[in-house]
Amino acid sequence: MDVSHLIDSLNDAQREAVCASPGHYLVLAGAGSGKTRVLTHRIGWLNQVERVPTWAILAVTFTNKAAGEMRARLDNLIQGGTQGLTVGTFHGIAHRLLRRHWREAGLPESFQILDADDQQRMVKRIVAGLGLDEARFPPRQAAWQINSWKDEGKRPENIEAGQHPVTRTLVQIYQAYEDACRRAGLVDFAELLLRAHELWLKQPAVLEHYQQRWRYLLIDEFQDTNSLQYAWIRVLAGRTGQTFVVGDDDQAIYGWRGAKVENVQQFLRDFPGARTIKLEQNYRSTSTILKAANSVIERNGHRLGKQLWTAGEEGERIAVYAAYNEQDEARFVIERIREYVAEHGDAKDCAILYRSNAQSRNFEEQLIQHDIPYRVYGGLRFFDRAEIKDALSYLRLTANRHDDAAFERAVNTPPRGIGDRTLDVLRRRARGESLSMWEAALNELAMGTELAGRAKNAVKGFLAMIDEMARTFSPSPLRGEGWGEGSILPEALAPNSPSPNPLPGGERASNSEALSLAEQIEHAVTQTGLRDFYENDSRGNAESRVENLDELVNVASRFELTPDDIEAGLSELSAFLSHAALEAGEGQGESWDNCVQLMTLHSAKGLEFPLVFLVGLEEGLFPSQRSVEDEGRLEEERRLAYVGITRARKRLFITHAESRRMHGTEMLSRPSRFLGEVPPSLLDEVRPRVQVSRPLYAGRFAEPAPSLQEDLPVKLGQRVSHPSFGEGVVVSAEGSGAHTRLQINFENAGSKWLVAAYAKLTPL
DNA sequence: ACACTATGAGTTTTT
DNA sequence: CTCATAGTGT
């Protein structure tokens, strides 16, 4: 067979990786070195040359997008198709395993996935339910801690809290949260991985099956794996699996959410005979850009070590612009974009990359002013939108009445007179008797005394509505397992309830009268009053919300079960709900239009653009204030800078502002240290245009000095208080009069430069 | 139960 | 400053 298409276009290092003989490999793939190509061609090589059947190959990525791209490229590459090949995210694969082995994993058959938002609400209710002070145990942090523990593979009983009271309470929250999830049949993201891992450890037969099947493991973005994912791979590989991991320690930027770069080096120790292959030839950027990137990343210690190089052109120097303030910065960037668009054309070639989301605002304003189309990445995704989650929560309840997260959301959206007081009665009962909210409501209606007539009727109506909806969806009862079609209302409450008439033999209902998924959603959106509610929404965005609800129906009508779903025994509804949780969908408006791209440095990883604007390179912003004290975190910031620089193909612009409004106060900042780490010979300093910007600058400082100025004699060592930064000491001062800038060491907020005239300082 | 006001927090994000 | 949420008042 002719396999030249698999190797012809490769350089030596790439070919070495693609054609490697059996064994474990670590491919250190620098930015723009053809990582995905190596990964896909390796799979092609295994299949077509080594004759490895597709079903024996497992390729794991972190995002659905990456998985989708890989599959698309494989479809083009592999003759005979990619049938049987598993390509997916860690979470997606773990999810499928749990669906197929729900019993062994100790889950209800109809378990559903709890997304991050639902998880936080759930934790919040737990914290409140335990009678804890939410200020001392912020639900956000508690949820973060629980996820961290799960990522470390820890259950509440494995945590050594010792005498530390805060930790002990957090463990208590973890335990209670876990109980609540179990009762509700809910599994959060971290739980998917942890359960799948435990499934393997506890069920050797299941593990062996998958070890026998997936003998070839390929992992993308290996530097982003957390402890649990690493353990997962190790267990699955066992003694016989061959692993091919691809990553770049210099692009590890997710340490703060549990990723362990150390896994890259650990891999070489844990997998016997593992060999390293470095991909250092870059096909993306000019040599100027690469030199800059190399010299920045060289400052980091503990690297495996790589030097990017290119056979391509030197290119232009990197333009650096020292802006007066953030408006001036945005003006400069937009001007360059307009020039570029006027000369060459495409706005979509331009990317503005920033450290924090808040920075997009200025750029957006000016882009709007100049009628330049733009797209901001990383907004709310489709399935994360409140109206979508509202609609789906009704479907979740029809599938599983005990889904407390769905219950809490649906119960009073739209408002139906079931307020906090009423819910607290139900919550207390649920907690006290270890029941789901649904069961608690049933009990309260049957024998409770705490609810007044009006509230009681509202609850009764809600329960009846859900039951009624479930009956409409599938007129014949499915199976009587207790989890899905759990609780039928007492006869008296259920209007026209036909006596239960279960099908013999647990046959799956395929009643011709059953509603399609799209019809079910349409029904839910309409019958619950959700659409009416949003149509009359006073907050102005009614139109788009209703459009989104309609779009949800469309999405559902296009939804199809995959062979995998069917094999795992998923119903259409279950599969759709899982899909909604695992693939939150594109960010808003996936317009393929010719738009300027705005995004954070984090979301830029993996992308490339002819023109890149790296903005806000200032100490305190990038690197962020919170990272400068810790060497490890600072190195991660530096890797982020490396990622940013290497996004640029032709031209890189770096900007920083001398003055920037942050959290409502005017801040002065020095250029980022990362800027100083680029050899000056590669830089081209653009002078600010004095005529345009000066008056603005001068004008603002020419205004009468605020009175504070007078009664703040600038003395070094003076203790002062600032409304947002707290107390600190003046350690140095520059300039005079209205231009006076003070350096203040704040006790909690670190060192800042502030304009004396603007900072609201109180001498102490 | 809902609308309004006050208060506080404010890197980075996928699944 | 700007957003989200908590708390207050009707």
Side-chain angles (χ1 to χ4, degrees), chain A residues 514-682:
Chain A
L515 266 55
S516 74
L517 189 60
E519 286 167 334
Q520 289 180 27
I521 293 177
E522 174 59 37
H523 184 91
V525 168
T526 311
Q527 298 302 307
T528 61
L530 198 62
R531 181 182 277 116
D532 285 341
F533 171 65
Y534 279 120
E535 264 168 7
N536 303 321
D537 192 12
S538 54
R539 286 160 304 200
N541 41 10
E543 209 175 313
S544 75
R545 285 183 188 270
V546 174
E547 274 171 24
N548 286 330
L549 286 174
D550 292 337
E551 177 59 16
L552 180 64
V553 177
N554 279 326
V555 170
S557 67
R558 274 180 266 129
F559 184 77
E560 276 177 24
L561 286 173
T562 66
D564 260 319
D565 294 333
I566 293 162
E567 198 190 325
L570 273 172
S571 70
E572 205 181 16
L573 178 56
S574 255
F576 186 71
L577 292 173
S578 302
H579 170 86
L582 285 173
E583 303 188 31
E586 290 281 315
Q588 76 271 45
E590 56 177 292
S591 47
W592 273 111
D593 291 355
N594 200 356
C595 290
V596 174
Q597 320 276 309
L598 277 72
M599 68 192 84
T600 63
L601 287 154
H602 283 90
S603 19
K605 193 171 76 148
L607 305 177
E608 59 176 47
F609 312 92
L611 255 69
V612 166
F613 296 87
L614 223 48
V615 303
L617 260 86
E618 295 139 40
E619 285 293 306
L621 182 60
F622 185 32
S624 85
Q625 189 61 53
R626 297 166 115 132
S627 310
V628 286
E629 281 121 41
D630 181 87
E631 185 60 20
R633 301 181 78 186
L634 182 65
E635 291 204 346
E636 185 155 302
E637 295 280 304
R638 189 174 281 112
R639 292 193 288 267
L640 200 50
Y642 174 78
V643 166
I645 295 168
T646 53
R647 297 311 95 195
R649 286 164 57 107
K650 301 257 175 271
R651 197 99 170 77
L652 178 62
F653 296 81
I654 298 178
T655 63
H656 61 95
E658 289 170 354
S659 157
R660 180 185 298 275
R661 214 177 169 79
M662 280 179 88
H663 310 323
T665 40
E666 205 76 26
M667 293 264 314
L668 294 172
S669 32
R670 320 249 339 129
S672 168
R673 67 192 71 190
F674 303 142
L675 195 47
E677 291 168 3
V678 178
S681 61
L682 304 175

Side-chain angles (χ1 to χ4, degrees), chain A residues 687-736:
Chain A
R687 291 281 139 225
R689 295 205 306 187
V690 178
Q691 320 88 299
V692 176
S693 309
R694 243 325 174 211
L696 182 87
Y697 186 64
R700 298 181 47 185
F701 283 89
E703 279 167 33
S707 61
L708 241 177
Q709 171 94 22
E710 265 96 72
D711 33 39
L712 182 74
V714 182
K715 285 204 206 95
L716 299 190
Q718 170 76 55
R719 273 189 72 78
V720 292
S721 173
H722 184 277
S724 45
F725 299 133
E727 295 184 11
V729 179
V730 179
V731 293
S732 67
E734 269 182 33
S736 60

Side-chain angles (χ1 to χ4, degrees), chain A residues 269-342:
Chain A
R269 291 193 282 274
D270 287 343
F271 289 76
R275 299 224 311 271
T276 304
I277 298 171
K278 290 182 189 177
L279 306 182
E280 295 173 291
Q281 183 174 3
N282 174 292
Y283 295 93
R284 178 186 296 160
S285 312
T286 65
S287 71
T288 299
I289 289 165
L290 295 181
K291 273 184 212 152
N294 283 331
S295 78
V296 169
I297 200 68
E298 257 167 29
R299 259 82 169 180
N300 274 2
H302 319 103
R303 297 177 61 222
L304 287 156
K306 250 182 309 80
Q307 274 266 329
L308 293 180
W309 62 278
T310 176
E313 291 179 0
E314 187 182 353
E316 287 176 80
R317 283 194 290 182
I318 298 164
V320 176
Y321 182 71
Y324 291 116
N325 54 31
E326 68 271 29
Q327 283 95 14
D328 183 38
E329 177 185 50
R331 183 198 54 77
F332 171 81
V333 169
I334 271 71
E335 222 163 79
R336 298 288 84 70
I337 291 175
R338 291 176 68 198
E339 273 171 24
Y340 175 80
V341 171

Side-chain angles (χ1 to χ4, degrees), chain A residues 28-97:
Chain A
L28 274 183
S33 64
K35 178 193 70 167
T36 310
R37 158 172 288 210
V38 165
L39 216 34
T40 50
H41 286 236
R42 174 65 178 174
I43 291 170
W45 177 270
L46 287 173
N47 176 241
Q48 314 220 320
V49 179
E50 307 280 348
R51 297 280 155 212
V52 174
T54 48
W55 50 260
I57 300 172
L58 172 67
V60 190
T61 63
F62 273 85
T63 64
N64 294 300
K65 193 174 159 215
E69 273 164 20
M70 195 182 302
R71 188 169 274 288
R73 285 169 78 154
L74 286 166
D75 281 333
N76 285 325
L77 198 67
I78 299 182
Q79 307 116 340
T82 53
Q83 279 261 315
L85 184 72
T86 307
V87 182
T89 64
F90 277 103
H91 297 268
I93 292 159
H95 172 241
R96 261 182 252 164
L97 283 169

Side-chain angles (χ1 to χ4, degrees), chain A residues 384-553:
Chain A
D384 286 337
R385 310 189 100 86
E387 63 274 22
I388 301 301
K389 297 192 65 165
D390 290 341
L392 292 183
S393 66
Y394 286 100
L395 299 189
R396 279 165 60 173
L397 274 181
T398 62
N400 170 16
R401 303 290 196 286
H402 308 297
D403 185 337
D404 283 357
F407 186 99
E408 292 265 4
R409 186 175 264 279
V411 71
N412 206 32
T413 322
R416 44 176 74 88
I418 304 174
D420 253 340
R421 241 184 67 78
T422 307
L423 284 175
D424 269 337
V425 171
L426 301 183
R427 288 187 192 118
R428 237 178 298 124
R429 183 181 277 275
R431 197 162 50 244
E433 301 172 31
S434 287
L435 301 171
S436 65
M437 287 293 278
W438 181 271
E439 291 167 314
L442 280 177
N443 284 1
E444 186 62 42
L445 291 180
M447 48 194 151
T449 52
E450 292 198 67
L451 289 187
R454 202 172 46 184
K456 206 164 181 173
N457 269 325
V459 172
K460 200 184 287 182
F462 176 68
L463 300 188
M465 183 184 74
I466 299 295
D467 275 339
E468 167 66 23
M469 202 186 304
R471 254 192 310 279
T472 315
F473 289 175
S474 42
S476 28
L478 290 169
R479 46 202 179 276
E481 290 250 1
W483 274 98
E485 298 288 303
S487 356
I488 303 295
L489 282 173
E491 292 295 317
L493 291 173
N496 313 319
S497 158
S499 52
N501 180 22
L503 292 174
E507 244 172 77
R508 192 164 289 279
S510 57
N511 195 305
S512 57
E513 294 168 57
L515 266 55
S516 74
L517 189 60
E519 286 167 334
Q520 289 180 27
I521 293 177
E522 174 59 37
H523 184 91
V525 168
T526 311
Q527 298 302 307
T528 61
L530 198 62
R531 181 182 277 116
D532 285 341
F533 171 65
Y534 279 120
E535 264 168 7
N536 303 321
D537 192 12
S538 54
R539 286 160 304 200
N541 41 10
E543 209 175 313
S544 75
R545 285 183 188 270
V546 174
E547 274 171 24
N548 286 330
L549 286 174
D550 292 337
E551 177 59 16
L552 180 64
V553 177

